[in-house]
Amino acid sequence: MNVIVLLAFILCLLMVAIGGKQGVRSFLSLFLNFGVLFVTIFLMTNPKNSPIILTFVACTIISCISLFYINKTNSKTITAFISTMVTIVVLLLFITFVTKKLMIQGFGEESTEEISIFSLYIGVDFVQIGASVIIMSTIGAIMDVAISIATSMHEIFYRNPSISRKKLFTSGLNIGRDILGTDTNTLFFAFFGGYLSLLIWFKDLSYSIGEIVNSKVFSAEMTTIFCAGIGIALIIPIASSVNAYYLIRTREKTEKLS
């Protein structure tokens, strides 16, 4: 426990030293987002509550904390928030459909020994829980891309106020293409880092490549990576179009008033 407190203290010092007041807000937002996740998980245990609706509400609150609380309310965070919400809605519908078709919900046979003493009749829809887990795993990457594109496009617009909407949108896409590869690889290596022990266990049990690929644990995590990649790919044109529309619309209103 002392090590955890020490690491948290070091992280806080670094974030304050580098980010100043914004670093303090970023550090506090970690605990705020954790609180949102904790309350969401607690509410999901009630069969009367829909995990999908709870996930959407949680993602909305997390987006508000991560965008408006840390970076304050401005045109960049507003467009990033709108882009994030549009992408989340599309992903919720898509991921719910995918989890039903792939049947990756629940526990794999690798977890049989650990859960054998517990009752599985808990009245919770594991299909929706599976979809919620995937969405929660992607929200951070989606917001990261959304604010990166919003900030870059705003800077391009202010440097070149006469730029056309088409060129501004194309610039957003070009920025997104550079982000796409790195963020997708980040998710991929985060999976292998978190599940390295599982892969070693697969090797010790002499799993074949086919058995590894078809195991529920591996399939569920790969589905999460692919869905997160789809979310990152979707947010690029969505954020580019939202920012291009907002910036050009603002310029047109300014010209009319003048």
Side-chain angles (χ1 to χ4, degrees), residues 157 165 243-254 256:
F157 179 77
R165 180 180 296 179
N243 281 279
Y245 174 82
Y246 174 83
L247 292 170
I248 300 302
R249 184 69 174 172
T250 303
R251 185 181 66 188
E252 292 174 350
K253 287 182 178 180
T254 304
K256 287 181 180 178

Side-chain angles (χ1 to χ4, degrees), residues 164-197:
S164 65
R165 180 180 296 179
K166 182 178 180 181
K167 288 184 178 180
L168 188 59
F169 175 75
T170 304
S171 298
L173 291 181
N174 291 333
I175 295 166
R177 291 190 186 103
D178 293 334
I179 301 173
L180 179 61
T182 54
D183 272 27
T184 305
N185 277 285
T186 299
L187 295 170
F188 180 76
F189 288 112
F191 160 73
F192 279 102
Y195 280 83
L196 184 60
S197 58

Side-chain angles (χ1 to χ4, degrees), residues 59-125:
C59 287
T60 303
I61 298 174
I62 290 171
S63 298
C64 289
I65 293 172
S66 301
L67 294 173
F68 300 132
Y69 176 68
I70 296 176
N71 300 300
K72 299 184 178 180
T73 303
N74 51 56
S75 58
K76 292 180 287 188
T77 53
I78 290 173
T79 53
F81 176 77
I82 294 172
S83 304
T84 300
M85 287 296 98
V86 172
T87 306
I88 289 298
V89 170
V90 175
L91 273 184
L92 273 173
L93 298 175
F94 174 74
I95 291 175
T96 303
F97 173 78
V98 169
T99 50
K100 286 182 179 180
K101 292 297 181 180
L102 292 181
M103 294 185 291
I104 58 173
Q105 68 276 3
F107 302 96
E109 59 181 9
E110 293 81 10
S111 306
T112 304
E113 184 177 349
E114 288 81 0
I115 65 174
S116 59
I117 62 174
F118 300 105
S119 173
L120 299 181
Y121 297 100
I122 58 177
V124 176
D125 189 341

Side-chain angles (χ1 to χ4, degrees), residues 6 19 23 31 38 45 47 53 60 67 86 91 120 122 133 168 172 187 209 222 241:
L6 178 61
F31 296 95
F38 182 82
T45 58
I53 295 176
T60 303
L67 294 173
V86 172
L91 273 184
L120 299 181
I122 58 177
V133 170
L168 188 59
L187 295 170
I209 298 298
M222 290 306 296
S241 59

